[in-house]
Amino acid sequence: MNPLRQTLLSGKRLPAAFLFLNQPDVAEIIGLAGFPLMIVDHEHAATDLGSSLHSLRAIRSTTNAFVMARAQDGSPAAIKPLLDAGFDGIMVPDVQSGDEARAIAQAARYAPIGRRGAQFTVSRAARYGADTNHAEQANENLLVAIMIESRAGLEAIDDIAATPGIDMLFLGPLDLTTDYGAFGDLGSSDLSEALLRAEQSILATGKLLGGAALPNEAPATLFARGYAMVSATSDVGLIRDAAARAYQEIQR
């Protein structure tokens, strides 16, 4: 199986499920449902590295799904342990400038591209030192995605996309409502217009485009517009909606 970065660069489109619950069994079930990509959250979820590693192992034990991690922020301290644990890629929230993107690329890539700490003699990602060419493979295969979630980020798209070592710009629509339309209103025309402009700008740079499907918008619609990755659901959303439907059935 091709690594995640190479899979997306080859033109494959991947729907993704976010994992917020810190529950390996739930992650395993979602993987068994067929999702090809899952993203373990460290920005909003009450989770730690050990629990995320349990989810990664659970998914790997039963499926061939890719597993990314969303870091708490773009610092080396947030990025490095996740990559050393063996995730297929990293996603960093709310990047607003080229300088921030360059710092993330430095933290996520080994030399000569970046300055990621060299612990590949013992790290899980390098099979505890058994992969002697791990650094070269990691630079080739790990996906580095940054999230655009503000007006400042949208205005810096060209500078961010020009950063060596950054593969994908991922649009975060909910946070963008802070600057476009009314906060929390995903149906705002201002937000829709901003997203369309951002999509076109990112595609023009040649970098991969990612984002989240809005309510009443099928992932297939986004893929048709050029998205390579679409966040289609989450463990919380799936359980919440299934529980609501089950209760409604009981009330009939």
Side-chain angles (χ1 to χ4, degrees):
M1 185 176 70
N2 283 335
L4 175 58
R5 179 172 181 266
Q6 302 304 330
T7 296
L8 290 170
L9 289 175
S10 71
K12 182 76 171 176
R13 306 309 194 202
L14 296 178
F18 261 97
L19 302 177
F20 295 102
L21 291 176
N22 190 22
Q23 293 294 328
D25 290 344
V26 174
E28 190 174 29
I29 290 168
I30 294 174
L32 285 168
F35 275 91
L37 170 63
M38 280 168 279
I39 305 169
V40 178
D41 187 66
H42 276 255
E43 182 189 8
H44 297 290
T47 190
D48 56 33
L49 181 60
S51 298
S52 295
L53 186 53
H54 287 318
S55 291
L56 173 60
R57 285 175 168 144
I59 295 165
R60 285 275 190 272
S61 71
T62 54
T63 78
N64 289 323
F66 297 113
V67 190
M68 291 182 67
R70 178 164 66 176
Q72 181 179 10
D73 54 47
S75 66
I79 292 173
K80 183 165 51 180
L82 294 171
L83 293 184
D84 284 347
F87 286 94
D88 295 306
I90 194 80
M91 180 180 288
V92 177
D94 196 23
V95 177
Q96 300 188 15
S97 70
D99 287 341
E100 289 181 27
R102 285 184 279 277
I104 291 163
Q106 288 283 300
R109 303 292 189 193
Y110 289 114
I113 302 172
R115 298 189 59 83
R116 175 180 167 186
Q119 192 69 354
F120 47 79
T121 54
V122 296
S123 72
R124 181 178 183 276
R127 294 196 304 155
Y128 306 102
D131 290 342
T132 57
N133 61 343
H134 166 74
E136 179 182 353
Q137 287 183 334
N139 279 350
E140 280 291 316
N141 298 334
L142 284 169
L143 182 78
V144 179
I146 59 93
M147 299 187 73
I148 304 293
E149 301 183 278
S150 68
R151 186 183 297 273
L154 261 62
E155 292 173 350
I157 280 175
D158 288 343
D159 195 14
I160 292 170
T163 304
I166 298 298
D167 303 307
M168 172 181 285
L169 280 67
F170 187 104
L171 297 171
L174 187 56
D175 278 306
L176 280 168
T177 64
T178 302
D179 294 328
Y180 296 94
F183 177 64
D185 181 11
L186 291 171
S188 161
S189 59
D190 288 345
L191 175 65
S192 297
E193 292 170 7
L195 287 171
L196 287 173
R197 289 195 302 270
E199 291 169 7
Q200 294 163 4
S201 296
I202 294 169
L203 291 171
T205 69
K207 290 295 173 79
L208 295 168
L209 169 62
L214 296 175
N216 302 317
E217 185 176 47
T221 302
L222 298 186
F223 288 135
R225 295 210 301 264
Y227 281 72
M229 178 197 300
V230 174
S231 170
T233 190
S234 69
D235 51 4
V236 173
L238 289 168
I239 294 172
R240 179 199 63 220
D241 294 347
R245 284 194 301 272
Y247 185 70
Q248 288 167 6
E249 288 293 327
I250 292 170
Q251 298 304 302
R252 289 182 181 178

